[in-house]
């Protein structure tokens, strides 16, 4: 445990909330895009097919994005040294560009047949639409990598409000593209792919503008320690060594979720299961993602506040969010909200409600997960985080496979597996933390 510094008495729940809310807003805004897309597709022709195709395509796009998700954390951590910044920027361009190239390659029939059809078991009637969406989203990983690099600089500079404003711009862009496409009767999945990629490109541009205007891109002020003393990476090879455990963790997470789609695709109710899981999980993430930035708060304030206060804050945030999800899943008002997103497809709504009920504890678990990860990362114990992720992903896939084999509906099986996997991960993280 880190010792407390002289400013620890100034850090209370009020300060944590003030720091957390703008960062949380950026994640909530991003997550709101999924229900917006779902709503648009639900009122267009072939809603179920388009939702299912988009769910598969987006899971693959996010898998290719996953290695660079932690660029934000790395950018924040390395921003104190100009040489480290430059090395990470080169790494960001290479990694983002390479992953986008591979994602675009996957849209070519011969490659998609090997991955989508044989490994993931994508239904033949969805294959062509999935490939079209993948082609449209080819630049996804590069835009995300670019955006997260400059977001990290803004967080280091204390400009969290700029990140929230850029996320709002992305959401407005997404809504505008969806509205124009809806009126123009653009095919649902194609419209969704266009809206998602245009939205994230606009956000990346806005974040970059904010970073330059705020001075976040200027060389950092000199510190009393040298780069050698702080052991910050100074070249591409060192950045790779520093970043690999972080990137590998997210690859495992999103790789597991992409494989989860393949398991759902083999359920007896495959088409509606994929569509309902994609829609329901999008709603869950709107609330659960609002807790993710807890990890950044803990990393920043570790040593300035007691661990008990930080963990209590995480539980408070997660508990409030889980209560909101429970109200959505179990009250008439919540049912109306779900209908407003999904439309009047009674079969789809019936498949979504059990998923929401099973997942009511997910926001609290995401908060606890990120809090415990934050404690371990602040101690440099990224290997423990990686190990817990591997174990939980294995449990996720095993439970989902067994549930589908026992005849449980695909979306419900995925929800049960997700909850059990997250519980196992939290237990592993807490156990590893107790070993200190």
């Amino acid at each position: 445990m880190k010792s407390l510094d002289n400013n620890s008495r100034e850090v209370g729940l009020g300060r944590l909330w003030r720091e957390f809310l703008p960062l949380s807003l950026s994640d909530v805004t991003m997550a709101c895009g999924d229900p917006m897309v779902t709503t648009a597709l639900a009122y267009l022709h072939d809603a179920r097919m388009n939702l299912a195709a988009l769910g598969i395509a987006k899971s693959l796009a996010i898998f290719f994005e996953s290695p660079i998700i932690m660029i934000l954390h790395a950018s924040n951590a390395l921003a104190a040294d100009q040489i480290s910044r430059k090395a990470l920027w080169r790494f960001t361009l290479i990694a983002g560009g390479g992953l986008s190239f591979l994602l675009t390659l996957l849209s070519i029939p011969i490659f998609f047949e090997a991955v989508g059809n044989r490994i993931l078991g994508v239904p033949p009637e969805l294959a062509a639409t999935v490939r079209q969406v993948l082609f449209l989203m080819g630049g996804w990983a590069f835009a995300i990598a670019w955006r997260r690099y400059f977001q990290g600089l803004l967080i280091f500079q204390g400009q969290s409000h700029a990140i929230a404003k850029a996320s709002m711009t992305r959401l407005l862009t997404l809504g505008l593209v969806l509205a124009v496409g809806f009126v123009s009767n653009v095919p649902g999945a194609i419209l969704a792919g266009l809206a998602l990629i245009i939205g994230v490109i606009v956000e990346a541009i806005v974040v970059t503008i904010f970073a330059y205007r705020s001075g976040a891109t200027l060389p950092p002020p000199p510190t009393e320690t040298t780069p050698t003393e702080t052991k910050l990476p100074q070249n591409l090879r060192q950045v790779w060594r520093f970043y690999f455990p972080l990137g590998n963790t997210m690859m495992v997470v999103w790789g597991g979720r992409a494989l989860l789609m393949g398991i759902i695709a083999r359920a007896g109710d495959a088409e509606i299961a994929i569509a309902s899981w994609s829609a329901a999980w999008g709603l869950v993430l709107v609330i659960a993602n609002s807790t993710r930035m807890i990890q950044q708060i803990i990393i920043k304030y570790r040593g300035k506040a007691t661990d008990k206060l930080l963990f209590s804050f995480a539980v408070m945030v997660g508990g409030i969010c889980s209560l909101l999800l429970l109200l959505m899943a179990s009250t008439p008002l919540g049912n109306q909200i779900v209908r407003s997103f999904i439309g009047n497809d009674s079969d789809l709504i019936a498949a979504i409600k059990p998923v929401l009920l099973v997942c009511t504890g997910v926001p609290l678990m995401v908060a606890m997960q990120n809090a415990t990860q934050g404690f371990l990362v602040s101690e440099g114990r990224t290997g423990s985080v990686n190990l817990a992720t591997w174990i939980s992903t294995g449990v996720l896939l095993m439970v989902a496979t067994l549930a589908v084999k026992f005849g449980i509906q695909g979306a419900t099986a995925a929800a049960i597996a997700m909850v059990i996997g997250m519980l196992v991960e939290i237990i592993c993280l807490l156990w590893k933390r107790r070993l200190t």
Side-chain angles (χ1 to χ4, degrees):
M1 180 186 298
K2 288 187 178 181
S3 59
L4 299 182
D5 64 22
N6 294 329
N7 296 323
S8 62
R9 295 180 181 178
E10 301 176 7
V11 179
L13 285 175
R15 182 171 174 180
L16 296 178
W17 276 109
R18 286 193 298 273
E19 186 88 14
F20 171 75
L21 286 175
L23 294 174
S24 176
L25 178 61
S26 67
D27 267 346
V28 172
T29 303
M30 181 174 65
C32 283
D34 285 338
M36 286 179 61
V37 170
T38 298
T39 302
L41 267 60
Y43 288 95
L44 288 172
H45 184 62
D46 289 332
R48 290 188 193 177
M49 186 191 75
N50 284 318
L51 283 170
L54 177 65
I56 294 170
K58 193 174 180 186
S59 68
L60 288 169
I62 293 177
F63 170 68
F64 279 90
E65 170 200 344
S66 62
I68 49 83
I69 287 177
M70 302 297 276
I71 289 289
L72 184 151
H73 303 69
S75 178
N76 188 10
L78 304 184
D81 179 64
Q82 182 66 7
I83 296 177
S84 298
R85 284 188 182 191
K86 291 181 178 180
L88 180 63
W89 175 238
R90 291 194 295 272
F91 175 82
T92 299
L93 296 177
I94 294 171
L99 290 166
S100 278
F101 172 75
L102 291 175
L103 180 60
T104 304
L105 205 63
L106 190 58
S107 66
I108 298 174
I110 188 172
F111 295 108
F112 184 81
E113 182 179 354
V115 176
N117 297 349
R118 296 177 185 175
I119 298 177
L120 297 180
V122 175
E125 63 272 18
L126 299 178
T129 306
V130 173
R131 286 193 292 102
Q132 291 172 342
V133 178
L134 287 176
F135 180 78
L136 291 173
M137 296 180 68
W140 181 265
F142 184 78
I144 294 289
W146 180 293
R147 181 200 74 181
R148 292 184 78 81
Y149 173 82
F150 286 102
Q151 283 179 327
L153 297 184
L154 284 168
I155 291 175
F156 179 80
Q157 189 77 4
Q159 300 289 326
S160 57
H161 286 83
I163 296 174
K165 291 176 183 177
S167 296
M168 288 297 297
T169 305
R170 172 182 176 179
L171 188 65
L172 291 172
T173 303
L174 179 73
L176 179 62
V177 175
L178 287 174
V180 172
F182 187 89
V183 173
S184 305
N185 203 29
V186 176
I190 305 301
L191 172 59
L194 282 171
L196 289 168
I197 189 63
I198 293 173
V200 78
I201 289 173
V202 168
E203 184 186 18
I205 293 172
V206 173
V207 164
T208 305
I209 293 172
F210 278 140
Y212 275 95
R213 285 185 175 179
S214 67
T217 58
L218 296 176
T223 60
E224 295 180 359
T225 56
T226 66
T228 303
E229 291 172 335
T230 57
K231 299 181 179 179
L232 294 179
Q234 301 290 290
N235 54 49
L236 276 176
R237 178 176 294 181
Q238 291 175 3
V239 168
W240 168 254
R241 291 174 181 172
F242 170 85
Y243 187 78
F244 179 77
L246 299 175
N248 178 258
T249 296
M250 298 312 298
M251 280 190 68
V252 173
V253 169
W254 290 105
R257 293 184 184 181
L259 291 175
L260 179 63
M261 276 292 185
I263 295 172
I264 299 173
R266 290 171 170 82
D269 59 341
E271 182 176 326
I272 193 170
I274 295 174
S276 59
W277 170 250
S278 300
W281 189 243
L283 287 171
V284 171
L285 288 183
V286 170
I287 298 176
N289 276 3
S290 65
T291 70
R292 293 193 309 175
M293 286 297 182
I294 283 173
Q295 183 174 153
Q296 297 298 315
I297 295 298
I298 287 179
I299 292 173
K300 180 174 181 178
Y301 285 105
R302 189 88 190 278
K304 299 177 182 178
T306 64
D307 287 359
K308 182 179 179 180
L309 175 65
L310 293 172
F311 195 76
S312 297
F313 174 70
V315 172
M316 183 187 302
V317 172
I320 292 172
C321 292
S322 278
L323 179 60
L324 290 175
L325 185 56
L326 177 61
L327 293 174
M328 180 182 289
S330 59
T331 64
L333 177 60
N335 187 62
Q336 189 59 42
I337 293 173
V338 172
R339 284 186 177 276
S340 68
F341 283 121
I342 304 303
N344 295 317
D345 189 328
S346 56
D347 291 337
L348 191 58
I349 292 173
I352 285 173
K353 292 303 289 290
V355 175
L356 295 179
L357 285 170
V358 172
C359 291
T360 52
V362 167
L364 175 59
M365 288 186 284
V366 171
M368 294 179 65
Q369 173 198 53
N370 278 277
T372 318
Q373 286 178 344
F375 289 129
L376 291 170
V377 170
S378 68
E379 298 167 1
R381 300 174 62 197
T382 55
S384 297
V385 175
N386 189 258
L387 175 62
T389 301
W390 274 98
I391 293 172
S392 67
T393 302
V395 170
L396 165 72
L397 299 177
M398 180 182 67
V399 172
T401 301
L402 291 175
V404 167
K405 284 187 176 181
F406 279 108
I408 297 176
Q409 292 181 333
T412 304
I416 294 170
M418 189 67 74
V419 169
I420 293 175
M422 292 185 73
L423 283 172
V424 169
E425 180 173 5
I426 291 169
I427 292 170
C428 289
L429 290 169
L430 289 171
W431 178 69
K432 283 291 185 181
R433 187 176 171 229
R434 286 176 62 88
L435 295 181
T436 57

